[in-house]
Amino acid sequence: MTSTLGPPPPYYENRGFQPEPPYAARPAAGAHPYPQLFSTNPPSVPSYIPRVATHQSTRPAAPPPRRTCAASLRKTIIIILSILIVICCAIAAFFIWYFVENNCLSSLIECGSSGVCMSPSQWCDGVSDCPNGEDETRCVRLFGPNFILQVYSPVSKAWYPVCQDDWNDDYGKIACKDMGYSVDTYFYSRGVPDVSFKSYMKLNTSAGNIDLYKKLYTSGSCGTGSVVSLRCIECGLASKSASIMNRIVGGSGAVLGQWPWQVSLHVQGTHVCGGSIITPHWLVTAAHCVEGRLSDPHSWRVYAGILNQDEMLFRSGYKVQLIISHPDYDTDSKDNDVALMKLETPLSFTENVRPVCLPNPGMMFQPNQQCWISGWGAEYQGGKTSNNLNYVAVPLIERSRCNAVYIYNGMILPTMICAGDLAGGIDSCQGDSGGPLVTHHHSVWWLVGDTSWGTGCATPNKPGVYGNMTVFTDWIYKNMQANR
Ligand code: ARG
């Protein structure tokens, strides 16, 4: 975490990725913009001189010359035929593309990219039909800042909120398990009044002891007028209040309980990266932290609820059981720079060790939303790891702005989000990677991003770049679910 305003020379450069689209050279003025498929000479059509019929004609008008007529007819037919051939080729090309891209016919749904097709009725029916069970992994989600439970209808290919009528915690626990949470962390399920929806999923309680999703049917009405708000874990609470945070300008030392989801990830007794607690078993970090030989879970020790690095040296830390890097992570561009760590033994939550909330789909962060970063990273460009945990407030920077030529010139992909001050002076730095970028919204702390990269540290017009957590939430749940 950098907090100095001094101008150390930038030395860290992000390599690779030249996203400039190769624009075609502009044709010379007056040049024909399209390839000439047909002659530009107008087809010779017999031209008639309109004759005004007089009262008496002595001789019938001479018939148009026969040879010219036949030739022009042939030409017209050739033109029409060529146009038809071009249209047929285009249609054929479209169908070839369609079947290569989507292996399944329109009424079927493909299992991942396996080429195996399933009927929509087999999707979300409680029975795993796909080779990797994809038909049952994405049937529920939590939407927006109020954690509205939504269920996917494969038939109408849409998400519906669940009507609170007859809903109870037992159903809530099933839905949480399906997202990858353990029942041990279940928090609550309650109805929230909402009239913005037109269709709902309703429980058919007389359906007997069958799978939850088979009991749900779509309906245009909901008796209570309330939809289910589901919390699978009590996340996003910090025991230290905002009054302390008001003091910060340009970075300061944290107190215990202020950023309880922050962890320090060690390799051979040294801090290497940061991470964020999302459940007792799972942490989020950056994919670039666990590259190469560091992808071995045995290399790592995890420290939670401790402010100072020197204190960690006397502790044993938590062992890592599994590391999952995003399959589409790209070393050069830092596209999809996110990874999951599963601990061998679960963390016990206390005042100082708590999870942060993963952002739900449908959450809108304001273009300049105030966020906070924390970590043990260098306090100035080229400096060493900090002994104490630091934090600083950073506003988000709109992607289009961050992609400006004088800032990151198109290197900010949809999986990334910029935050910081374009004037410089505040930023994350080496050693903060993998750690949290959080915001406080609807009285909950949300994980907006994970520290990923930047040119130098706190350099003007080179803000910090973070993994865009909202686009990773789905991937995270899928992997938690598959590795329970
Ligand atoms: N890649 C760095 C790390 O491994 C984080 C760099 C963040 N840089 C910045 N200017 N915000 O710790």
Side-chain angles (χ1 to χ4, degrees):
M1 182 87 30
T2 317
S3 59
T4 48
L5 283 156
Y11 87 111
Y12 175 82
E13 286 292 333
N14 187 290
R15 292 163 286 134
F17 194 69
Q18 285 83 38
E20 275 304 302
Y23 292 110
R26 229 171 135 179
H32 211 284
Y34 304 106
Q36 274 180 248
L37 295 175
F38 308 111
S39 159
T40 45
N41 299 331
S44 57
V45 177
S47 50
Y48 294 95
I49 298 155
R51 283 168 171 245
V52 182
T54 48
H55 54 94
Q56 180 112 68
S57 66
T58 44
R59 274 173 63 187
R66 270 188 137 195
R67 261 192 48 208
T68 331
C69 185
S72 72
L73 191 67
R74 218 179 307 142
K75 227 169 192 173
T76 314
I77 290 172
I78 288 172
I79 290 171
I80 291 172
L81 275 181
S82 351
I83 291 171
L84 281 178
I85 288 170
V86 170
I87 292 172
C88 289
C89 287
I91 293 173
F94 171 80
F95 275 100
I96 290 168
W97 167 84
Y98 185 85
F99 283 111
V100 169
E101 281 291 297
N102 312 277
N103 288 307
C104 301
L105 289 165
S106 64
S107 59
L108 300 177
I109 306 174
E110 190 180 353
C111 298
S113 47
S114 61
V116 181
C117 304
M118 282 301 145
S119 120
S121 62
Q122 285 166 292
W123 219 262
C124 300
D125 64 350
V127 184
S128 179
D129 301 293
C130 286
N132 295 314
E134 293 94 335
D135 55 324
E136 300 301 319
T137 51
R138 278 182 167 99
C139 304
V140 275
R141 70 175 187 187
L142 302 176
F143 189 84
N146 291 321
F147 299 87
I148 302 299
L149 174 65
Q150 294 189 333
V151 174
Y152 187 71
S153 157
V155 181
S156 42
K157 296 194 171 76
W159 291 93
Y160 294 107
V162 177
C163 177
Q164 172 69 17
D165 300 1
D166 302 312
W167 187 264
N168 61 40
D169 283 333
D170 293 335
Y171 295 123
K173 286 175 187 168
I174 297 174
C176 286
K177 261 176 76 182
D178 286 348
M179 273 182 283
Y181 286 101
S182 140
V183 283
D184 306 340
T185 63
Y186 181 79
F187 189 21
Y188 69 75
S189 155
R190 68 167 172 228
V192 292
D194 204 311
V195 286
S196 62
F197 298 106
K198 288 197 177 64
S199 296
Y200 302 86
M201 281 287 183
K202 271 173 97 168
L203 268 180
N204 176 4
T205 40
S206 59
N209 200 12
I210 55 163
D211 180 79
L212 166 63
Y213 304 106
K214 278 194 182 144
K215 282 189 189 174
L216 291 168
Y217 63 97
T218 50
S219 166
S221 68
C222 170
T224 52
S226 289
V227 294
V228 175
S229 162
L230 179 65
R231 300 285 306 267
C232 298
I233 190 165
E234 186 176 13
C235 59
L237 289 181
S239 54
K240 287 298 174 302
S241 69
S243 62
I244 294 161
M245 289 164 226
N246 288 339
R247 293 187 302 157
I248 59 142
V249 175
S252 22
V255 296
L256 267 177
Q258 201 177 5
W259 314 107
W261 40 83
Q262 170 86 57
V263 292
S264 170
L265 305 177
H266 281 211
V267 174
Q268 291 173 352
T270 320
H271 169 90
V272 173
C273 270
S276 304
I277 301 168
I278 53 168
T279 79
H281 269 111
W282 292 97
L283 313 174
V284 171
T285 187
H288 83 254
C289 290
V290 293
E291 260 182 299
R293 62 180 183 87
L294 294 182
S295 62
D296 180 6
H298 299 113
S299 314
W300 296 91
R301 287 291 181 281
V302 176
Y303 295 89
I306 305 174
L307 278 184
N308 295 312
Q309 286 294 326
D310 51 19
E311 213 178 304
M312 294 175 200
L313 301 178
F314 302 106
R315 311 276 187 92
S316 47
Y318 284 79
K319 287 183 182 166
V320 178
Q321 185 186 90
L322 178 68
I323 294 178
I324 309 168
S325 245
H326 197 291
D328 302 322
Y329 164 65
D330 185 79
T331 317
D332 296 325
S333 65
K334 297 282 173 277
D335 196 9
N336 298 295
D337 193 4
V338 68
L340 282 168
M341 272 189 182
K342 187 178 187 192
L343 301 177
E344 269 186 23
T345 50
L347 295 161
S348 357
F349 290 160
T350 65
E351 289 269 287
N352 306 326
V353 180
R354 280 179 182 180
V356 65
C357 296
L358 284 173
N360 297 326
M363 289 202 48
M364 298 289 191
F365 297 121
Q366 296 305 308
N368 299 309
Q369 177 105 16
Q370 183 75 289
C371 292
W372 279 264
I373 47 175
S374 47
W376 288 272
E379 290 170 328
Y380 54 91
Q381 169 67 54
K384 60 177 178 36
T385 299
S386 159
N387 182 46
N388 58 294
L389 178 63
N390 288 319
Y391 69 95
V392 68
V394 283
L396 295 185
I397 300 169
E398 264 183 289
R399 179 166 305 108
S400 58
R401 180 132 189 255
C402 204
N403 263 329
V405 181
Y406 68 98
I407 304 182
Y408 282 127
N409 193 19
M411 292 159 91
I412 308 305
L413 304 175
T415 56
M416 304 172 186
I417 196 160
C418 297
D421 188 346
L422 293 179
I426 51 161
D427 198 5
S428 46
C429 202
Q430 268 57 45
D432 287 322
S433 277
L437 167 76
V438 293
T439 194
H440 199 238
H441 184 56
H442 277 237
S443 19
V444 163
W445 287 95
W446 303 89
L447 187 63
V448 177
D450 65 300
T451 305
S452 180
W453 63 276
T455 300
C457 296
T459 313
N461 290 324
K462 299 291 172 226
V465 185
Y466 301 81
N468 183 2
M469 207 51 58
T470 312
V471 305
F472 301 139
T473 308
D474 206 37
W475 175 81
I476 292 173
Y477 283 136
K478 205 175 79 186
N479 281 279
M480 279 179 15
Q481 216 272 343
N483 296 283
R484 277 186 296 160

